[in-house]
Amino acid sequence: MLARISRTLLLFLLTFAFLAAPFAPTQSQAATTASAHALIRQPVRAEHGMVASAERIASQVGIDVLKRGGNAVDAAIATAFALAVTYPSAGNLGGGGFMMIRLRDGRTTAIDYREMAPSAATRNIFQDEKGNLIQGEGSSLIGYRAAGVPGTVAGMELAFKKYGSGKLSWAELIEPARKLAAEGFPIYGYLARNLVKKKDQFAPYEDSRKIFLNDGKFYQEGEVLRQPELAATLRRLQKNGAREFYEGETARLIAADMKQHNGLITMEDLRGYVAKERVPVRTTYRGYEVITMPPSSSGGVILIEMLNILEGYNLHEMGWSSADRYHLMAEAMRRAYADRAEYLGDADFANVPVAGLIDKNYAARQRSTINMTHASTSAEVRAGHPVGAESSETTHFSIVDAEGNAVANTYTLNESFGSKVVAKGTGFLLNDEMDDFAAKPGTPNYYGLIQGERNAVAPHKRPLSAMTPTFVLRKDGTLWFAIGSPGGSTIINTVLQVITNIIDYEMNIQQAIDAPRIHHQWMPDELAYEPYGLSTDTLHLLEARGHKVYVRPNAGWTTGEGYMGNAQGIMLEEKTGTRLGASDPRGDGAAIGY
Ligand code: GLY
């Protein structure tokens, strides 16, 4: 309740701040308008460790692991398993994601545990005989066929074996989640409302109906949700290790239910799943190193392309709330998302010109096509020519431990509650990540994203993601902050705006996360903003330049209707090293430190 009141208060204050903001800032006014958008909220401060996640109980689970001597990776594993219980719309065993790890000695790595397409998933599997996209059961969005082979358990195991502290066992890291599933937790308001909202989609699936709709009786806020089948699955994982999920009883339960319902995932698919360690992609933005997620996410590459384009402008001088800044942000987004549509896909399958897309000279060429006084149209902005070319519900958490090791992890079921299918007897939801493929190249997916041939469906391929777990370093090479967000196609732009809010406008991490966001994704050719997020005067200035501006309607996948993302960040304070945690007011999460 308190969280809801404080969110409402914050939105009111943001609105007030906008109404009070100067109309069209001139260049000389710019510096003073840099932080005129919002009141300052201070992040949570802690001396040793910090966990910022989208759900308070899961953040506390992570902190408890840190207090017991576990490192950031141990805490990440325990938090991820806990979210699978307490945040079932996106926390998961049946989905996948990406974990960025930065060790205190500076080594940084990226774990790709994105889902893989089953062997039976071929290019046109989601099209009918006329070439139209299948709707409902059998589509890429709902039901058994929508699920890719889940990667979360394998990803956690890889992180545990290679980067865990060794002080806590695999079973100990799963235990808090198992206990929460067995003993239950009080359903919070957002979850109760969200479950009712999805009632028609859960209804056809027996176990989903039983667990998440209380067999049609629904749950009230505050009622305890117990998940005994999930507790039993977690118990098997504790006892038998991660391979249980891919070869044991859990695998058998998934494969049997799939077979009975015309699904695609087989025992062989589960046995063949591999999580992979990848080399992160990097750039510098105004001298600060940015280290982020490579393919099979598009997030890091597209984030870097946008940062490189924006680096050529003095955003600080323009002022945070100026039409010039919004214009440039939108033009950078438009160009980078056009490249996403053309060039990005699973680099294990398609030729993705990563080096060309993140090249500063390429960004300079992209910049040269931007006109300060006129918006481009997306129809005229096609993908550029880089060298070498050929959740909405997701959830992010950031963790920093006492030693300075850090994790930025984003994982997902894709849409809220994924495919809505609980594989019979397992207690967990399966993803609908197959929709992140181009089910029909050139046709928009759930997020309205146009995607190309490089992201066409193929057996064992990973669908393209936008998830963008990211680290930014100080100029001396030490960790400055970890950041990431859910939000489907808006994820990359959320991370972009938090980073530029901090670097260009010197906002603290909480303020940078709180600030209203905009979004452009090339197609559709629209510049979206959050409710109350843009003054009418600025909106008119942008329209005069040719932007098609619109306020986001209910997006349906965050707590706040129409708001973008649910970022979770941790910054290290200069000199003191104090951990500064910030959870997005758009959700019900919490940064907890010790
Ligand atoms: N399912 C959303 C993403 O991975 O981008």
Side-chain angles (χ1 to χ4, degrees):
M1 174 58 95
L2 202 60
R4 225 171 35 243
I5 291 170
S6 60
R7 195 168 57 250
T8 310
L9 182 66
L10 177 75
L11 293 175
F12 173 78
L13 292 172
L14 288 173
T15 310
F16 178 78
F18 259 94
L19 294 175
F23 292 160
T26 62
Q27 290 293 318
S28 59
Q29 286 175 301
T32 58
T33 61
S35 57
H37 75 286
L39 300 178
I40 295 175
R41 267 203 315 156
Q42 293 302 327
V44 175
R45 301 174 67 85
E47 203 180 327
H48 305 291
M50 180 74 68
V51 179
S53 91
E55 198 284 311
R56 179 172 290 277
I57 300 171
S59 293
Q60 189 60 53
V61 164
I63 282 295
D64 292 343
V65 165
L66 294 181
K67 284 184 178 169
R68 291 170 63 196
N71 66 9
V73 174
D74 297 328
I77 295 163
T79 303
F81 279 115
L83 284 166
V85 179
T86 62
Y87 196 75
S89 57
N92 68 79
L93 301 185
F98 304 103
M99 185 186 288
M100 293 282 303
I101 300 172
R102 181 173 164 85
L103 300 174
R104 59 176 302 206
D105 63 10
R107 278 180 296 149
T108 307
T109 191
I111 294 180
D112 177 344
Y113 59 96
R114 183 73 161 164
E115 299 87 338
M116 290 167 72
S119 357
T122 46
R123 193 180 187 286
N124 300 330
I125 189 131
F126 298 114
Q127 298 173 29
D128 62 20
E129 57 289 348
K130 293 193 183 124
N132 297 320
L133 285 175
I134 294 167
Q135 308 294 323
E137 186 67 43
S139 75
S140 57
L141 272 171
I142 192 156
Y144 287 84
R145 290 198 161 207
V149 181
T152 296
V153 176
M156 295 305 131
E157 183 196 35
L158 176 55
F160 173 75
K161 287 196 165 152
K162 203 149 173 204
Y163 298 104
S165 68
K167 290 184 187 149
L168 283 93
S169 68
W170 172 252
E172 283 175 306
L173 297 179
I174 297 177
E175 180 57 14
R178 190 207 58 79
K179 218 161 161 239
L180 282 163
E183 294 174 9
F185 67 95
I187 294 208
Y188 41 95
Y190 165 58
L191 181 55
R193 288 191 299 279
N194 210 6
L195 288 172
V196 172
K197 210 155 89 184
K198 294 288 184 300
K199 65 180 188 319
D200 295 339
Q201 294 171 36
F202 280 131
Y205 309 109
E206 190 187 334
D207 276 23
S208 311
R209 196 170 56 237
K210 185 177 76 183
I211 299 166
F212 293 112
L213 301 183
N214 197 12
D215 250 338
K217 297 189 284 290
F218 305 111
Y219 295 102
Q220 303 302 315
E221 186 173 350
E223 230 176 299
V224 172
L225 174 62
R226 289 189 186 83
Q227 301 173 76
E229 294 89 354
L230 180 55
T233 296
L234 290 164
R235 184 79 198 103
R236 289 195 302 277
L237 291 177
Q238 285 179 305
K239 230 169 110 197
N240 306 330
R243 290 319 295 168
E244 154 64 31
F245 191 95
Y246 297 97
E247 296 176 25
E249 174 67 5
T250 310
R252 274 191 294 281
L253 287 167
I254 297 171
D257 205 31
M258 282 279 161
K259 195 164 176 197
Q260 201 183 339
H261 293 94
N262 206 20
L264 302 176
I265 299 176
T266 62
M267 280 299 277
E268 288 64 42
D269 288 324
L270 287 156
R271 201 172 293 122
Y273 182 85
V274 273
K276 289 194 175 176
E277 197 165 357
R278 310 225 184 245
V279 179
V281 282
R282 295 167 185 258
T283 193
T284 54
Y285 180 67
R286 305 196 198 284
Y288 297 97
E289 189 166 12
V290 177
I291 309 176
T292 181
M293 193 68 213
S296 56
S297 183
S298 64
V301 171
I302 297 309
L303 172 69
I304 289 177
E305 181 178 345
M306 293 191 289
L307 287 170
N308 286 345
I309 292 172
L310 292 169
E311 197 177 37
Y313 301 96
N314 191 336
L315 296 183
H316 181 81
E317 273 288 304
M318 285 168 196
W320 187 88
S321 50
S322 70
D324 280 352
R325 169 183 168 275
Y326 288 118
H327 173 74
L328 285 173
M329 284 272 169
E331 292 301 307
M333 291 171 182
R334 188 197 309 275
R335 283 159 179 74
Y337 274 74
D339 280 345
R340 182 190 190 278
E342 177 67 25
Y343 294 120
L344 269 294
D346 181 351
D348 289 347
F349 283 72
N351 182 10
V352 181
V354 172
L357 289 164
I358 66 174
D359 182 66
K360 298 248 186 213
N361 293 321
Y362 176 61
R365 290 205 300 283
Q366 290 281 60
R367 207 157 44 232
S368 70
T369 66
I370 296 176
N371 181 327
M372 264 325 279
T373 53
H374 293 290
S376 312
T377 62
S378 288
E380 78 197 9
V381 170
R382 289 287 161 200
H385 300 284
V387 173
E390 65 277 8
S391 154
S392 63
E393 183 81 55
T394 292
T395 191
H396 177 86
F397 57 81
S398 297
I399 300 181
V400 176
D401 66 21
E403 304 290 315
N405 304 299
V407 167
N409 184 91
T410 318
Y411 76 153
T412 190
L413 292 165
N414 191 26
E415 275 185 277
S416 195
F417 305 103
S419 64
K420 317 299 182 289
V421 173
V422 168
K424 194 160 181 47
T426 66
F428 60 81
L429 284 157
L430 293 165
N431 66 85
D432 64 335
E433 218 67 72
M434 295 301 282
D435 193 62
D436 272 352
F437 280 118
K440 183 174 176 184
T443 303
N445 73 352
Y446 174 73
Y447 302 107
L449 285 168
I450 306 273
Q451 316 198 73
E453 285 298 336
R454 285 175 173 82
N455 189 31
V457 187
H460 312 303
K461 192 174 173 183
R462 293 170 206 252
L464 186 60
S465 172
M467 293 188 274
T468 317
T470 298
F471 297 124
V472 178
L473 309 188
R474 289 188 188 279
K475 287 185 177 165
D476 65 3
T478 57
L479 179 68
W480 189 8
F481 59 94
I483 188 69
S485 178
S489 59
T490 66
I491 292 174
I492 320 173
N493 288 335
T494 289
V495 173
L496 171 76
Q497 287 166 86
V498 173
I499 292 175
T500 58
N501 285 346
I502 290 169
I503 294 181
D504 290 308
Y505 300 105
E506 296 165 16
M507 293 185 197
N508 76 42
I509 189 145
Q510 185 68 66
Q511 193 186 16
I513 285 173
D514 292 355
R517 301 178 186 134
I518 59 162
H519 175 69
H520 200 300
Q521 61 178 46
W522 175 56
M523 294 285 188
D525 189 349
E526 292 166 338
L527 172 52
Y529 68 98
E530 295 181 301
Y532 317 109
L534 203 60
S535 80
T536 310
D537 310 80
T538 312
L539 190 152
H540 290 154
L541 288 171
L542 289 166
E543 284 176 339
R545 292 185 200 195
H547 291 282
K548 299 181 190 87
V549 190
Y550 90 109
V551 62
R552 278 169 63 100
N554 177 5
W557 40 257
T558 60
T559 330
E561 297 188 345
Y563 294 87
M564 296 179 202
N566 186 359
Q568 309 292 329
I570 300 175
M571 181 180 274
L572 300 192
E573 191 173 61
E574 200 167 15
K575 296 198 178 83
T576 65
T578 298
R579 279 68 171 131
L580 308 171
S583 186
D584 203 320
R586 295 162 183 82
D588 276 338
I592 302 181
Y594 82 105

